Amino acid sequence: MKEKQLIPMTQEEQKKPYAKYYKTQLAQPNMEQIEQLNKGPMNPRKALYPENMDELLKMGYMEVETGYCILENGAGYVATNNKFPGCTIEMIQWWYAWHTLEGLRYKIWNPYGHQTIAISDEHREKIKNPNIPLEEKSQGVIHFEVEDIGAGPQDVVIHFLTHRELGITKALDTSKSTIIGGYGIIESRDNNYGKSQGKMPVIMIHNFRETEYGVESRTRFWLGYRINKGIPMLVLPKDVVIPVEAPMGLAFNNVQEFSHLSSFLPDIYKEFGNLPL
């Protein structure tokens, strides 16, 4: 894993009212999860396959809620269970709409990894439309991001879907939980020449649900999969195996940036959550 570089604010960004949330010192990551990840890859037989995403809606927890591994079919797998004390489902839904609209909003989430974000004009208007419910503003939106999760900057395209489009058949109690997820393509580039070093499909799902202390996220990533008409599909070429460093880096990065987000989300929502997006 490479050392990530701080992505500084521009002079214009420094004038934004939320520039104070840009911190060069990230919040302490959830050490319980970090210790679990430091044990190395989990047993792949204890992983959840994307065809069984409905399991995430059940009460309680799976045997392994935090871990990473390579599945028997060569795909990469990540599971994390992040904590958001003092947060609400509405805050989470607001954040996933709000942060897409300006580069600095994306950058303050992780100033060592988040370089840029963009969405189409059509999707921008959807997010800013006050008549669209908050929980629907992220659905159907495509994010174009440049992010470093530890292997250098990568181009990331994420198609956010409804939970039904992800393949979840169970009903969702949106007052107590929310599903934010979709499928994407991660493309690595050569730092010297900008040439593509390959593309990797990924399915991502965050199941945010209320707890006695706030909100938790039960997150899963499947590297080497994509969604086709609501059906998860393994799209790795025959005999190709995802390097274990890929899910490992994604797992550590997810814990770090979700821990950092949880440290300021209640405050930034209190200040900006009632303003037009």
Side-chain angles (χ1 to χ4, degrees):
M1 305 299 289
K2 300 178 181 178
E3 182 179 352
K4 298 180 186 179
Q5 301 298 313
L6 179 68
I7 304 162
M9 286 191 291
T10 65
Q11 290 185 346
E12 286 301 312
E13 287 174 339
Q14 293 174 23
K15 301 175 185 177
K16 298 286 184 179
Y18 39 84
K20 60 187 175 184
Y21 292 99
Y22 174 93
K23 306 290 184 182
T24 58
Q25 181 67 45
L26 297 182
Q28 177 80 6
N30 183 308
M31 293 311 298
E32 181 179 350
Q33 290 204 89
I34 294 297
E35 290 171 4
Q36 187 66 32
L37 295 176
N38 280 333
K39 295 178 181 179
M42 61 181 278
N43 184 340
R45 294 184 179 181
K46 298 180 180 180
L48 175 71
Y49 278 75
E51 296 85 354
N52 301 318
M53 272 192 261
D54 275 359
E55 296 292 313
L56 280 176
L57 271 61
K58 291 182 178 180
M59 297 295 293
Y61 301 92
M62 297 175 186
E63 184 175 353
V64 178
E65 286 285 334
T66 298
Y68 67 91
C69 67
I70 300 301
L71 300 175
E72 294 177 353
N73 59 17
Y77 176 73
V78 173
T80 61
N81 182 214
N82 294 288
K83 315 299 182 184
F84 291 77
C87 292
T88 64
I89 294 299
E90 184 173 310
M91 290 181 190
I92 298 293
Q93 294 168 337
W94 172 83
W95 173 259
Y96 271 90
W98 184 83
H99 86 268
T100 65
L101 298 178
E102 290 186 17
L104 180 58
R105 300 181 183 186
Y106 179 63
K107 192 180 296 183
I108 61 178
W109 187 353
N110 184 353
Y112 288 90
H114 290 181
Q115 293 193 5
T116 61
I117 189 170
I119 57 175
S120 70
D121 290 343
E122 177 186 359
H123 290 161
R124 179 179 296 274
E125 290 305 311
K126 174 181 179 177
I127 289 173
K128 296 176 72 174
N129 186 340
N131 297 318
I132 295 178
L134 195 56
E135 64 267 21
E136 297 178 12
K137 288 183 180 291
S138 296
Q139 299 169 358
V141 174
I142 302 174
H143 292 195
F144 300 89
E145 305 169 357
V146 178
E147 180 178 4
D148 183 357
I149 65 171
Q154 298 174 310
D155 296 325
V156 182
V157 180
I158 307 174
H159 299 248
F160 285 84
L161 305 172
T162 68
H163 74 283
R164 297 289 189 188
E165 291 170 331
L166 277 165
I168 294 176
T169 60
K170 292 184 177 180
L172 185 67
D173 184 350
T174 56
S175 66
K176 296 182 179 179
S177 64
T178 192
I179 295 287
I180 295 177
Y183 72 90
I185 297 291
I186 300 175
E187 183 174 12
S188 300
R189 294 190 176 276
D190 183 287
N191 288 336
N192 295 321
Y193 300 101
K195 295 181 180 178
S196 175
Q197 298 298 295
K199 298 180 180 180
M200 179 166 55
V202 181
I203 295 176
M204 169 193 74
I205 183 170
H206 307 299
N207 177 20
F208 292 96
R209 64 185 186 186
E210 286 187 351
T211 66
E212 66 220 4
Y213 56 79
V215 169
E216 68 175 350
S217 72
R218 300 176 68 214
T219 291
R220 302 292 185 270
F221 293 94
W222 294 276
L223 288 69
Y225 277 87
R226 66 157 293 162
I227 295 286
N228 183 22
K229 297 180 180 179
I231 300 174
M233 299 179 61
L234 179 70
V235 292
L236 291 178
K238 186 178 180 180
D239 298 326
V240 170
V241 176
I242 298 289
V244 71
E245 290 81 7
M248 179 184 70
L250 189 55
F252 278 98
N253 181 77
N254 179 258
V255 171
Q256 175 65 84
E257 67 182 29
F258 269 24
S259 296
H260 189 60
L261 176 60
S262 72
S263 73
F264 67 82
L265 181 55
D267 292 332
I268 200 169
Y269 177 81
K270 182 179 180 179
E271 188 170 357
F272 299 102
N274 290 323
L275 301 177
L277 290 169

